């Protein structure tokens, strides 16, 4: 049994993920900001842990991560407020990476998005710009750590039922829709695949079973 902590545990992807992981027999702690969400988290089989990541110190986050084998970052400010977007999606995310190292949690899975990076191409006057900048900075910081990291880049998220079928490194043609359920399934899969450490995996809904799609290309 692996002990996994999910940061941003009440998000839709996180709820799917905790259901999958507990169903596989893993022990899951889901960190949430709002105690009113504890019931939804508990219903997935996970143990809720209330902590305001945005306003927590590295040491406080390390305390919450201690005793786990892996951490999944699935939190987000939700857009709308650039200042809060930077505070959560960049600054708190980076503190969580430092906290993971401090707590001795070597495995770190980041849920990012398809196309994230310094060359994201989002105009500065676009409402998505702060998020794109924040994720680019957080992802780049993670790549520079000694953690066994994997960055996941799903396309535009939908609530469609998961198929268990994806396409990795998709071309721009053909759309970017990616179900939250499939995204959670990919996160669960990479946690079971140590060989995915050090990889950035961009994907969308597709036609290949997840296990096959995640195999490194020759």
């Amino acid at each position: 049994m692996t002990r996994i902590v999910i940061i941003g545990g009440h998000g839709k992807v996180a709820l799917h993920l905790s259901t999958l992981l507990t169903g596989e027999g893993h022990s899951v702690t889901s960190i949430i900001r709002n105690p009113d969400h504890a019931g939804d988290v508990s219903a997935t089989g996970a143990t809720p842990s209330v902590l305001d990541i945005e306003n927590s110190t590295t040491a406080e986050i390390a305390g919450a991560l201690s005793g786990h084998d892996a951490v999944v970052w699935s939190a987000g400010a939700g857009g709308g407020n650039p200042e809060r977007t930077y505070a959560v999606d960049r600054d708190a995310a980076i503190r969580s990476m430092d906290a993971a190292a401090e707590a001795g949690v070597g495995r770190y899975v980041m849920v990012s998005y398809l196309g994230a990076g310094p060359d994201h191409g989002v105009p500065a006057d676009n409402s998505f710009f702060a998020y794109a900048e924040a994720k680019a900075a957080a992802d780049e910081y993670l790549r520079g750590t000694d953690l066994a990291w994997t960055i996941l880049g799903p396309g535009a998220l939908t609530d469609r039922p998961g198929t268990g079928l994806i396409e990795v490194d998709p071309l721009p043609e053909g759309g970017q829709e990616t179900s939250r359920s499939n995204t959670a399934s990919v996160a669960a899969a990479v946690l079971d695949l140590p060989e995915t450490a050090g990889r950035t995996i961009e994907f969308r809904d597709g036609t290949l079973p997840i296990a096959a799609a995640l195999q490194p290309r020759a």
Side-chain angles (χ1 to χ4, degrees), residues 1 5 76 78 80 135 170 174 187 193 209 215 217:
M1 181 176 70
V5 57
K135 293 302 278 186
L193 295 170
Q215 293 302 310
R217 297 183 178 180

Side-chain angles (χ1 to χ4, degrees), residues 76-99:
N81 182 329
E83 184 177 339
R84 184 158 186 265
T85 296
Y86 286 118
V88 175
D89 293 285
R90 181 190 64 195
D91 301 340
I94 287 173
R95 285 199 303 276
S96 78
M97 300 166 200
D98 293 340

Side-chain angles (χ1 to χ4, degrees), residues 31-84:
I31 294 178
I32 54 176
R33 180 175 60 89
N34 187 344
D36 292 342
H37 294 158
D40 293 339
V41 167
S42 296
T44 70
T47 301
S49 175
V50 178
L51 184 69
D52 182 358
I53 290 291
E54 179 183 356
N55 296 301
S56 295
T57 65
T58 300
E60 288 168 339
I61 300 171
L65 303 186
S66 180
H68 294 85
D69 303 305
V71 56
V72 178
W73 176 276
S74 190
N81 182 329
E83 184 177 339
R84 184 158 186 265

Side-chain angles (χ1 to χ4, degrees), residues 106-148:
R107 186 74 168 108
Y108 192 108
V109 175
M110 165 64 75
V111 179
S112 188
Y113 73 93
L114 178 60
D119 55 350
H120 54 71
V122 179
D125 59 354
N126 189 297
S127 61
F128 192 70
F129 179 78
Y131 180 77
E133 286 284 286
K135 293 302 278 186
D139 291 356
E140 197 58 29
Y141 188 91
L142 181 57
R143 293 186 182 101
T145 69
D146 291 328
L147 298 169

Side-chain angles (χ1 to χ4, degrees), residues 183-201:
T183 301
S185 294
V186 172
V190 300
L191 285 167
D192 279 336
L193 295 170
E195 61 269 29
T196 59
R199 287 181 60 193
T200 298
I201 301 169

